[in-house]
Amino acid sequence: NDLVLLSKFEYYVGSFIGVASIFIVIVNIGATKQMDIVRTNFHSVHDAIYGQMDEGPVCAFHTIGGTVTTFPNAEDARSNGYTIAHCGACGECSTWPNLRLQYTTRNYLARESARCAKKSFLHGLDAVHSCL
């Protein structure tokens, strides 16, 4: 008669811990599988998306507040004494007031974007619209 009977509370707590442990193991197995897929495909996907990023036209400026010009490539911009502002041709957003605004608000905008993204997880798409 060494059989120990558990109370209902102990039984339910033990069952919960067992199920929770199995859930954690399943999640970890899935995460490991996903990481293996990423490791296998990362370089080919990265090359497909960003492989040509440093080629082609660039938007560059000579001095702050000075001329903003599109060059056919980064080497031409640098050889003419220009500093590269961004990849791709200069567009409507490449005026000095816009570049200054983008630079001075970059940390604030990143913080606000992260805050809105967190709200979307808890409160859905409507929370993002009201956040923006």
Side-chain angles (χ1 to χ4, degrees), residues 72-107:
N73 55 50
E75 295 80 30
D76 286 353
R78 288 189 189 105
S79 67
N80 284 297
Y82 279 67
T83 302
I84 297 172
H86 60 77
C87 297
C90 299
E92 293 296 319
C93 65
S94 299
T95 64
W96 276 110
N98 287 338
L99 289 171
R100 187 174 293 112
L101 180 66
Q102 291 170 21
Y103 180 78
T104 58
T105 60
R106 69 191 185 284
N107 294 328

Side-chain angles (χ1 to χ4, degrees), residues 55-75:
E55 299 174 10
V58 296
C59 181
F61 61 92
H62 191 261
T63 57
I64 294 179
T67 307
V68 179
T69 306
T70 299
F71 284 90
N73 55 50
E75 295 80 30

